[in-house]
Amino acid sequence: MNQVYRIEVALLPKENPPDLLLSDIRSLGIAGVQHVQQSALYFCYGQLTPQEIELLCNELLVDPITQTATWGLADEPVSDASGVQRIEVGYLQGVTDSVADNLMKRAARLGVSGLIEAGSAQCYRIQGSVSATDLDTIAHRLLSNDIIQHYELGQLESHVGKPLASHVIAAEEVPLAGLNNDELLTLSIKRLLSLDLAEMKAVQAYFEAEGRAPTDVELESIAQTWSEHCGHKTFKGMVDYSETIDGETTHELIDSLIRTYLQVPTQTIAAPWVLSAFVDNAGIMAFTDDYDVSFKAETHNHPSALEPFGGANTGVGGVVRDIMGVSARPIANTDVLCFGPLDTPMDDLAAGVLHPRRIYSGVVGGVEDYGNKMGIPTVNGAIVFEPGYTANPLVYCGCIGMAPRGSHPDGARPGDLVVVLGGRTGRDGLHGATFSSIELTDETGVTSGGAVQIGNPVTEKMVLDAILVARDEKLYSGITDCGAGGLSSAVSEMGEDTGVAVRLEMVPLKYAGLQPWEIWLSEAQERMVLAVPPENEARVRAICERYSVEMTIIGTFSNDARLHLSYDDETVADVSMAFLHKGTPRRHLVGEWADPKGAEPIELWEAKGSALREALLGILAHPNVRSKEDVVRLYDHEVQGGTVVKPFVGLTNDGPADAAVLKPLEVEDSRRGLAVGCGFNPQYGLIDPYAMAVSAIDEAVRNVVSVGADPDCIAILDNFCWGNPTKPDRMGGLVRACKGCRDGALHYATPFVSGKDSLNNEYQDNVSGQQVAIPPSLLISSLGQLDDVTQTCTSDLKDGASHLYLVGATLPELGGSYYYRLNGELGASVPGLVKEGPAIAKAIHNAIQKGLLLACHDCSEGGLAVAAAEMALGGGRGLSIHLADVCTAGAEVETKDAWLLYSESNARYVVQVADDRANEFEALIGELPCARIGVVEDEPRLSFGSASGDELFSVTLMEVRQAWRGHLQGGGECAE
């Protein structure tokens, strides 16, 4: 007889882990909780003997050193000590449970054949005087996410062993003929198609010409293909743009932002080492004569707002599959994460918004889980806290890969088999592409809950291993990943030039009951699609069996240029590929931008020594600047053994690195390496998105040049996160940022090789009527190349008699700076494009190549004062700096200590040079702006002299360290 067994795994009493939930519970205003104990629950359905359950516990579920297990039938009541109440949280029926999936697979390997189904859950024992109302608040606000989970105050009733509700499986006709404009838009909203009126009318006209109504499969497939997320309609549209500067307005009609401002610079630069840009899952560059390197960054914002762990987890998994989709082996991950302030009062949150602390912990955990389990080092990134990200967190995920030259095939050919590898298909991820193309509201969790995906990195690792073998044996002619849009996107894009016929009943499912459109549109994770010539089928299947990867043939690529889908021999879709991929009506948008009218708080320039001293410590302690070691140490950045320069450097490996340096394992006989950096400053975008873009490129270049990358061989990625492009001010800022991308890329000769946009990052609270857009947010990621990884440079000060130089000119450019922000101001004087920037970058690179620099640090957030403090912190040494010597060429105002210290002017590097190499370094720099500004001291103290030559202030290295590693400003203690 089949029964459901309940296994509970708890820590042994001696372990006594930190009670991390108490502070969050108290932030809800609930003071009666004394202790929270968490344990894991497993529900196992089948015919199991006591010996088999003990085997599962001992071999799979319990660490005998730290844990213990109890078990029994699921319907038997459990008891707790007096004063203890429990909250149990499990997944909703149909939601992917990767822990349970892995348990099933491992149980089979142990020979436990009677296990039919499994589920996982969490138990929280709450000790103290707590009412049922308070328990419900704790469960709802902190422990459970209604999008994917359910909870019980007491013992959880698991859905394991219970069948899903049965439905008739068939495609549904959706009548469009005769619908007026309002009715078409209502249909688009009701079905979450995210199509505007022009697009709905185009669909209506197509099927009128076909003489029939579309099926739900066809309508959903068109909506996915035409979604903003997949089709980039805004960046490909026509824009009527007006720009007002100094009271004069100019107008222009822009034909495609992506072509005009991103692709044209890459074509103009014409770098011979760029092998593929904007045409594949990732950009591809030549690395050695035998190997190529690929680079891609994606966003997973909307899913992370609803389910932070799953959103970030599958964001990492998705970008890793992008690299797999160009036949490369992932060698490193990057991530840039943006949240609301962690000290945001609960009462300030809009309806339906998770607290930033919960989003933060979930996202960080999701990134950690996927990269670590796949064995991919996470080597670079940033964490930013701004009020504008409270309802719309941003999760940028990047990946770098290596592949043998010529190993990535051109594409599917008629007669090739459509092969799906990896995970099974479920309802998770439905409408992901269209959901990501609309604004969030307080109702999004209800209407779009199925858009959240759940990842399983173990499955993806096995798929990767199988694909690399198939690649090396040249067994497939085309490959792509199942990301946004699932099979609909992957298969139809692969078959765009040929045509394809797919039998949807052949797609392996996680459970029965999926409708044909759900099978086709599901974004269930860990799936890859290959085009395999029939003669290679047997060998691919053998490889998949070797790596325990499920392989299924679901169709054939044809030569009729049509998408044909069937379910049990009934046609459910038959659409022209030309209409599907080229039939989208061209978007016409209006953009308006005017130069900022903000005041410059020049009174802050007059600050004296004590105020400037406090400013330095305050900026170092700012949540965006402070050490992120509490997060970075969660990520394995040394797995694979190729990380040469790690996220932290210095005497005790706790100083900030400018960029990571990698030596890929593939190039054993070479010293060539890669440097990974990024530039990101959304505060500049609030003043001038153009300046934000050029500054992000400048910083991304400085990051990798500072560690030794060749400035003549740097590729960059653009990742735009923006508000609603149908609003003229949002669209105007987007155009302005694109202009900055073009000018910055051409200035530094850094080609864009790939990019991604995430628009409509706005939150509409239908309860209060408030609508909030994120700050204009552009991430520029950089990938530089080094000829010799033994010639890298790091930011930490080194021993020996030496001087400190500031290379580059410092101007009174504090708009959006941390100095202004610390004083509650924004300002207007944003850093811009620096004429000498490329020449300075080449000079720094030459100096590193010649061994002239002991240390190098790019000067960015917080300006000279913060850069110097970080160098001293990493090296454990002091500095004496004289502001009177700082180069201010081009400044049109009287020098002031405040802006000499805290200006964030671009194209600046702080470098340490040994006394006996100083003349050689100065000769190399020549006429470029540069000044010797100080000396390195043995005493652990930073001393600053004013522009007039007087002593300004000093601060001990211990004070610097305490500020940088101490507290989140207004956000509570950071974990150490």
Side-chain angles (χ1 to χ4, degrees):
M1 177 181 175
N2 294 327
Q3 298 187 83
V4 180
Y5 297 87
R6 170 192 170 101
I7 303 170
E8 184 168 352
V9 178
L11 287 173
L12 293 168
K14 66 177 182 179
E15 292 303 312
N16 193 28
D19 211 330
L20 301 178
L21 283 171
L22 273 184
S23 62
D24 288 338
I25 292 173
R26 288 166 183 164
S27 72
L28 295 174
I30 299 171
V33 178
Q34 299 172 358
H35 180 63
V36 181
Q37 181 182 6
Q38 183 176 354
S39 56
L41 298 177
Y42 303 93
F43 296 94
C44 298
Y45 172 68
Q47 289 186 331
L48 301 171
T49 66
Q51 292 77 17
E52 286 176 323
I53 295 177
E54 290 289 347
L55 181 65
L56 293 178
C57 291
N58 295 336
E59 295 296 328
L60 297 179
L61 303 179
V62 178
D63 179 345
I65 297 175
T66 62
Q67 295 174 315
T68 184
T70 58
W71 63 271
L73 291 174
D75 56 3
E76 294 176 348
V78 295
S79 60
D80 290 303
S82 176
V84 174
Q85 302 180 75
R86 67 172 58 212
I87 301 170
E88 296 189 349
V89 183
Y91 287 119
L92 295 169
Q93 192 171 24
V95 172
T96 297
D97 187 340
S98 57
V99 172
D101 290 343
N102 288 330
L103 171 57
M104 291 288 295
K105 293 172 183 175
R106 273 50 187 180
R109 289 190 175 186
L110 288 176
V112 181
S113 58
L115 182 60
I116 299 171
E117 186 181 352
S120 68
Q122 294 291 320
C123 172
Y124 302 88
R125 289 190 182 86
I126 312 295
Q127 181 178 342
S129 177
V130 194
S131 68
T133 300
D134 286 344
L135 285 174
D136 196 69
T137 300
I138 293 169
H140 181 69
R141 300 294 293 271
L142 294 178
L143 305 180
S144 175
N145 188 332
D146 293 345
I147 305 300
I148 61 169
Q149 294 168 314
H150 65 118
Y151 68 86
E152 293 288 344
L153 304 184
Q155 194 166 340
L156 186 73
E157 183 178 353
S158 173
H159 58 72
V160 171
K162 297 178 181 178
L164 286 165
S166 60
H167 301 279
V168 175
I169 309 301
E172 171 194 353
E173 281 196 350
V174 184
L176 297 182
L179 295 186
N180 61 32
N181 292 351
D182 289 341
E183 290 168 333
L184 287 171
L185 283 176
T186 298
L187 179 65
S188 176
I189 294 169
K190 181 180 178 181
R191 299 192 72 100
L192 201 65
L193 303 177
S194 303
L195 297 178
D196 62 23
L197 180 58
E199 292 159 350
M200 287 298 294
K201 292 180 78 169
V203 176
Q204 184 184 50
Y206 175 82
F207 284 101
E208 283 181 357
E210 292 277 302
R212 62 182 179 87
T215 66
D216 53 358
V217 183
E218 291 168 325
L219 196 55
E220 295 282 356
S221 191
I222 292 167
Q224 170 270 306
T225 308
W226 291 8
S227 68
E228 183 72 74
H229 185 85
C230 295
H232 312 291
K233 295 178 290 191
T234 294
F235 272 77
K236 293 178 180 178
M238 300 288 293
V239 185
D240 187 355
Y241 177 65
S242 62
E243 186 173 277
T244 303
I245 299 178
D246 295 332
E248 293 189 10
T249 301
T250 58
H251 297 271
E252 60 181 311
L253 185 64
I254 303 167
D255 183 355
S256 175
L257 294 177
I258 189 171
R259 183 169 61 249
T260 304
Y261 298 118
L262 302 173
Q263 293 177 337
V264 166
T266 297
Q267 294 163 359
T268 302
I269 294 166
W273 42 269
V274 175
L275 304 180
S276 175
F278 295 103
V279 296
D280 218 321
N281 285 328
I284 304 175
M285 292 74 66
F287 181 59
T288 67
D289 291 341
D290 299 318
Y291 285 93
D292 300 333
V293 60
S294 51
F295 196 20
K296 179 64 178 291
E298 283 272 11
T299 54
H300 228 220
N301 306 333
H302 282 22
S304 299
L306 296 186
E307 208 298 284
F309 181 94
N313 196 248
T314 54
V316 175
V319 78
V320 168
R321 289 196 304 277
D322 280 330
I323 294 301
M324 292 163 60
V326 291
S327 303
R329 182 182 72 86
I331 65 168
N333 287 341
T334 70
D335 61 89
V336 173
L337 313 175
C338 304
F339 310 100
L342 298 187
D343 61 346
T344 302
M346 284 283 188
D347 292 342
D348 289 355
L349 297 178
V353 174
L354 299 176
H355 193 276
R357 279 187 179 274
R358 187 167 175 192
I359 296 175
Y360 172 79
S361 61
V363 166
V364 169
V367 171
E368 171 197 4
D369 179 80
Y370 219 100
N372 287 4
K373 285 181 178 176
M374 279 205 73
I376 303 171
T378 301
V379 298
N380 185 259
I383 301 177
V384 175
F385 300 91
E386 301 292 350
Y389 299 128
T390 299
N392 281 272
L394 302 185
V395 177
Y396 297 93
C397 303
C399 190
I400 302 158
M402 294 292 298
R405 178 70 49 81
S407 61
H408 183 47
D410 295 333
R413 298 182 293 242
D416 284 348
L417 303 175
V418 182
V419 175
V420 177
L421 302 184
R424 290 190 158 218
T425 297
R427 286 200 174 96
D428 41 334
L430 289 176
H431 284 137
T434 53
F435 152 70
S436 295
S437 304
I438 59 174
E439 297 173 357
L440 294 174
T441 76
D442 57 299
E443 299 175 349
T444 302
V446 177
T447 61
S448 306
V452 177
Q453 306 123 337
I454 308 296
N456 188 342
V458 175
T459 296
E460 188 151 308
K461 177 62 169 69
M462 294 188 294
V463 173
L464 169 63
D465 291 341
I467 284 175
L468 293 180
V469 175
R471 176 202 69 185
D472 291 344
E473 295 186 23
K474 299 186 183 302
L475 298 175
Y476 57 84
S477 53
I479 183 173
T480 194
D481 75 302
C482 268
L487 293 170
S488 173
S489 174
V491 176
S492 67
E493 285 181 11
M494 289 182 73
E496 179 181 356
D497 296 329
T498 59
V500 67
V502 172
R503 296 174 59 191
L504 293 176
E505 77 276 7
M506 300 300 295
V507 176
L509 304 180
K510 296 176 180 178
Y511 36 76
L514 270 67
Q515 296 295 339
W517 79 265
E518 293 176 317
I519 297 171
W520 187 234
L521 269 294
S522 167
E523 296 180 13
Q525 296 294 288
E526 288 79 50
R527 297 177 300 163
M528 300 291 292
V529 178
L530 276 63
V532 177
E535 60 270 21
N536 295 340
E537 175 195 349
R539 177 56 185 151
V540 173
R541 191 174 298 280
I543 293 168
C544 289
E545 289 175 356
R546 174 186 171 191
Y547 289 98
S548 301
V549 172
E550 187 166 12
M551 169 189 163
T552 308
I553 298 169
I554 64 170
T556 306
F557 290 98
S558 60
N559 59 3
D560 61 0
R562 293 189 72 84
L563 172 67
H564 182 85
L565 308 176
S566 63
Y567 187 91
D568 282 345
D569 296 326
E570 293 290 331
T571 295
V572 297
D574 188 2
V575 181
S576 158
M577 284 292 192
F579 176 71
L580 186 62
H581 292 283
K582 300 291 193 297
T584 321
R586 191 83 179 277
R587 274 205 165 170
H588 290 260
L589 299 132
V590 174
E592 300 171 354
W593 187 83
D595 53 359
K597 304 298 184 201
E600 196 68 30
I602 58 175
E603 66 276 6
L604 293 176
W605 297 4
E606 304 297 334
K608 303 304 180 185
S610 61
L612 295 175
R613 181 182 187 279
E614 292 307 309
L616 173 57
L617 297 177
I619 295 171
L620 286 167
H622 191 283
N624 296 352
V625 178
R626 71 146 183 113
S627 171
K628 306 302 188 304
E629 188 170 2
D630 52 313
V631 173
V632 174
R633 294 298 185 198
L634 299 174
Y635 306 147
D636 190 338
H637 50 261
E638 300 197 63
V639 66
Q640 297 190 19
T643 314
V644 178
V645 175
K646 303 170 179 63
F648 294 106
V649 296
L651 282 176
T652 56
N653 292 311
D654 62 354
D658 286 305
V661 175
L662 304 166
K663 184 185 181 299
L665 301 181
E666 281 84 350
V667 289
E668 294 179 284
D669 58 348
S670 170
R671 291 183 176 179
R672 284 187 60 74
L674 299 162
V676 192
C678 64
F680 185 73
N681 198 325
Q683 286 297 309
Y684 293 177
L686 295 174
I687 303 170
D688 183 357
Y690 177 91
M692 175 183 67
V694 298
S695 297
I697 292 174
D698 197 292
E699 182 178 8
V701 168
R702 277 181 279 130
N703 275 185
V704 294
V705 168
S706 293
V707 296
D710 182 352
D712 290 331
C713 197
I714 299 173
I716 57 177
L717 309 177
D718 63 273
N719 283 90
F720 289 86
C721 288
W722 226 260
N724 186 342
T726 64
K727 298 180 183 297
D729 63 327
R730 275 53 151 186
M731 190 66 213
L734 184 60
V735 173
R736 183 87 177 146
C738 287
K739 288 174 176 277
C741 282
R742 173 197 61 193
D743 293 352
L746 290 172
H747 188 61
Y748 275 103
T750 49
F752 288 104
V753 295
S754 186
K756 191 70 176 177
D757 59 273
S758 172
L759 308 180
N760 298 294
N761 286 283
E762 307 209 10
Y763 189 86
Q764 176 71 47
D765 182 352
N766 291 331
V767 177
S768 67
Q770 183 183 19
Q771 183 162 353
V772 179
I774 63 166
S777 303
L778 169 65
L779 171 66
I780 298 293
S781 304
S782 55
L783 186 66
Q785 300 194 19
L786 300 81
D787 286 332
D788 188 346
V789 294
T790 66
Q791 293 182 321
T792 59
C793 194
T794 56
S795 64
D796 51 303
L797 296 177
K798 311 301 190 299
D799 288 340
S802 55
H803 296 282
L804 202 70
Y805 289 81
L806 177 57
V807 185
T810 301
L811 304 175
E813 296 174 319
L814 288 92
S817 70
Y818 282 91
Y819 178 64
Y820 277 1
R821 296 182 62 193
L822 202 65
N823 291 279
E825 299 285 352
L826 186 61
S829 54
V830 194
L833 207 58
V834 178
K835 178 183 177 182
E836 300 90 353
I840 291 173
K842 291 179 181 179
I844 292 293
H845 176 64
N846 290 337
I848 293 174
Q849 291 282 294
K850 294 178 181 295
L852 299 179
L853 305 186
L854 297 174
C856 180
H857 194 20
D858 91 294
C859 195
S860 52
E861 291 91 346
L864 168 62
V866 170
E870 291 175 339
M871 295 178 76
L873 188 151
R877 298 177 62 77
L879 285 170
S880 178
I881 294 176
H882 312 289
L883 297 181
D885 298 325
V886 172
C887 177
T888 58
E892 298 177 352
V893 297
E894 180 184 357
T895 56
K896 299 290 184 179
D897 296 328
W899 63 260
L900 291 174
L901 284 167
Y902 299 117
S903 168
E904 297 181 4
S905 294
N906 287 322
R908 295 185 303 158
Y909 303 77
V910 184
V911 301
Q912 179 191 13
V913 181
D915 285 357
D916 59 356
R917 307 295 298 271
N919 290 338
E920 189 178 352
F921 173 73
E922 291 176 9
L924 184 151
I925 291 294
E927 299 300 316
L928 293 172
C930 176
R932 186 186 297 189
I933 62 167
V935 294
V936 178
E937 307 275 9
D938 290 331
E939 183 183 2
R941 175 180 296 275
L942 277 73
S943 300
F944 293 88
S946 71
S948 61
D950 300 326
E951 182 178 344
L952 189 59
F953 72 86
S954 65
V955 60
T956 68
L957 204 56
M958 179 62 72
E959 291 173 307
V960 168
R961 189 176 300 277
Q962 288 175 339
W964 197 63
R965 294 173 60 87
H967 296 270
L968 284 173
Q969 191 176 35
E973 292 191 9
C974 65
E976 291 291 353

